[in-house]
Amino acid sequence: MTVRALVVGAGPAGLMAAERLAQSGCKVTIAEKMPSPGRKFLMAGKSGLNLTKVEATSLFYQSYREAEPWLRPMLAAFGPDDVQNWARNLGQEVFTGSTGRVFPKVMKASPLLRAWLTRLDGLGVDLRKRWQLITLEGTTAVFDTPDGLRRASADVLVLALGGASWARLGSDGAWREWLPGEALFQVANAGLSVDWSHHMRPFFGQPVKGVALSAGNLTSRGEFTVSSRGLEGGGIYSVSRGVREGAPLVLDLFPDMTEDEIATRLNRTRGKASLSNHLRKVLKLDGVRRALVQEWLRPMPAVNVLAKSLKSLNVPVSGLRPMDEAISTAGGVRRDQVNDGLMLLDRPGVFVAGEMLDWEAPTGGYLLTACFATGRWAGDHAVQFAARTV
Ligand SMILES: Cc1cc2nc3c(=O)[nH]c(=O)nc-3n(C[C@H](O)[C@H](O)[C@H](O)COP(=O)(O)OP(=O)(O)OC[C@H]3O[C@@H](n4cnc5c(N)ncnc54)[C@H](O)[C@@H]3O)c2cc1C
């Protein structure tokens, strides 16, 4: 007998679950509440779709922190190499950047998504758009559709409804109203709010490159952008969890120089030059970094303590940017609500995958890799469950 599978949510996790179910011979329907699939995935490709990360396996796993023990088997079954091969199989060449981040050569997500949807179509997967799941009655799903309420039952169900950021792309976390018991959502990989003085206005939109940031035990090397609302960009996102947990944010403007080297340069004859000009000349400090020093080091310390301050500038953060602007969210369906196969303990036959599960990771390809890996895992375990019960 053919197994009927229903996947809800057409993001990377849901599409991967659908692919595995269809490849195993199930008759698969995907229901997506938006008019088109994969909207957050497409947004992720706007600034370069970072699919995964090439680095030592132990380092890769560690990025998932407290979720590492339970995500590990899923990531071992579909890790960075598998993600790259899978993308190549869909006709998308990938390349690895200097930091180990892997991107499709075209950088964006749309060609990959198109090829993926064509593959799913070829496997007979039926994609229903504008179908919003509003509640579950056992394993029967109730949808709000353009034709009114529809009930759909299946032998197995995979929920991949995403986290709670970027509601306008469909990922609004509204599912927690009818799927209770989850861990509260928290902002992850977010920008930080800073109350700027008017002196900073000319620098809004400018990148600050080659710096190091730390918050608690999280550190990052890279860059960020000064925006009218605060600080944005990869370097900030990776330490935002530390700030969320209450640690101060510290900026090292010269990660490749020791304090002594900076002090030696600062002690060079200054003559009549202003301190700002002196910093520019002896330390090659560009305009935006000089502006940050003047913004955050008030009053300016004496030259003998300045070297230390430039390597550990306290950033006066007023908070994290709102959840809906965050790259991802922590929280969601807790590990103890599902079994090893990601099936809800209180709803046999209903599996959960992707960002709606309670794990978090920094940007750098870790998010998508875990969405693919959990989607695949949920799909495979749904097939095994159906084999035992249908
Ligand atoms: C600007 C930006 C850049 C990013 N860049 C990267 C990157 O480079 N690398 C990386 O690894 N990650 C990146 N991410 C994160 C990544 O996009 C997400 O982690 C990933 O899309 C989550 O996949 P998912 O399938 O779990 O959920 P989602 O992609 O959120 O998909 C969930 C789907 O479920 C649908 N849905 C929700 N509720 C219902 C319902 N009730 N009924 C029916 N359908 C429903 C939604 O419409 C959506 O289509 C980025 C995110 C953003 C916002």
Side-chain angles (χ1 to χ4, degrees), residues 105-120:
K105 270 202 172 139
V106 292
M107 295 302 275
K108 42 190 188 164
S110 42
L112 180 61
L113 182 61
R114 256 196 316 274
W116 199 2
L117 293 171
T118 303
R119 172 186 285 177
L120 293 175

Side-chain angles (χ1 to χ4, degrees), residues 8-14 31-34 38 40-41 43-44 48-50 131-133 160-163 166 169-172 178 326-327 353-356 365-369 371:
V8 191
E32 163 58 50
K33 77 171 181 187
M34 300 299 282
K40 194 170 179 183
F41 186 58
M43 174 57 76
L49 186 72
N50 187 185
W131 273 45
Q132 178 175 1
L133 180 59
L161 306 174
W166 289 75
L169 305 179
S171 318
D172 58 7
W178 47 263
I327 297 286
E355 213 182 295
M356 75 180 286
Y366 304 106
L367 296 167
L368 282 175
T369 303
C371 289

Side-chain angles (χ1 to χ4, degrees), residues 98-389:
S98 56
T99 54
R101 293 173 177 227
V102 179
F103 300 88
K105 270 202 172 139
V106 292
M107 295 302 275
K108 42 190 188 164
S110 42
L112 180 61
L113 182 61
R114 256 196 316 274
W116 199 2
L117 293 171
T118 303
R119 172 186 285 177
L120 293 175
D121 192 47
L123 288 164
V125 173
D126 178 18
L127 173 60
R128 302 281 169 96
K129 298 169 211 160
R130 294 195 168 94
W131 273 45
Q132 178 175 1
L133 180 59
I134 52 170
T135 194
L136 279 181
E137 292 167 356
T139 50
T140 299
V142 184
F143 291 96
D144 190 4
T145 79
D147 304 317
L149 284 191
R150 286 275 181 280
R151 281 182 161 69
S153 55
D155 301 311
V156 283
L157 231 127
V158 178
L159 303 179
L161 306 174
S165 69
W166 289 75
R168 69 188 163 91
L169 305 179
S171 318
D172 58 7
W175 51 265
R176 64 198 138 157
E177 282 161 28
W178 47 263
L179 195 66
E182 87 292 347
L184 282 182
F185 283 124
Q186 288 185 293
V187 170
N189 294 302
L192 301 173
S193 298
V194 175
D195 299 321
W196 300 115
S197 75
H198 68 277
H199 298 292
M200 286 303 294
R201 272 193 206 136
F203 301 97
F204 293 164
Q206 291 204 16
V208 179
K209 297 185 176 172
V211 293
L213 290 146
S214 62
N217 58 7
L218 294 176
T219 54
S220 77
R221 275 296 292 263
E223 66 177 78
F224 61 84
T225 304
V226 172
S227 79
S228 59
R229 294 166 305 185
L231 305 173
E232 302 278 346
I236 292 291
Y237 300 151
S238 355
V239 293
S240 64
R241 177 173 178 170
V243 175
R244 187 185 83 206
E245 289 171 348
L249 179 66
V250 179
L251 171 64
D252 180 350
L253 286 170
F254 296 99
D256 297 319
M257 265 196 236
T258 65
E259 213 176 292
D260 283 349
E261 283 167 336
I262 297 172
T264 307
R265 289 183 184 219
L266 285 173
N267 282 324
R268 286 184 195 156
T269 314
R270 177 165 149 192
K272 288 190 178 153
S274 65
L275 179 60
S276 174
N277 252 338
H278 189 56
L279 290 173
R280 179 177 58 79
K281 277 193 196 148
V282 298
L283 288 169
K284 309 226 172 329
L285 208 58
D286 58 14
V288 62
R289 288 190 296 165
R290 285 203 309 282
L292 290 177
V293 171
Q294 283 169 330
E295 179 80 356
W296 290 333
L297 271 183
R298 277 191 256 152
M300 188 68 76
V303 164
N304 57 339
V305 291
L306 185 55
K308 187 178 172 61
S309 306
L310 293 176
K311 280 199 70 69
S312 54
L313 206 50
N314 275 312
V315 180
V317 171
S318 59
L320 289 115
R321 297 297 308 154
M323 184 172 292
D324 203 40
E325 291 174 19
I327 297 286
S328 60
T329 47
V333 175
R334 298 188 320 268
R335 171 64 185 93
D336 62 8
Q337 289 179 274
V338 291
N339 70 8
D340 289 346
L342 298 181
M343 184 174 80
L344 285 170
L345 293 173
D346 61 357
R347 289 173 199 260
V350 181
F351 294 75
V352 182
E355 213 182 295
M356 75 180 286
L357 283 161
D358 181 19
W359 56 270
E360 68 177 302
T363 52
Y366 304 106
L367 296 167
L368 282 175
T369 303
C371 289
F372 295 138
T374 53
R376 186 178 186 272
W377 191 264
D380 287 352
H381 283 78
V383 170
Q384 289 168 27
F385 175 84
R388 288 194 303 273
T389 54

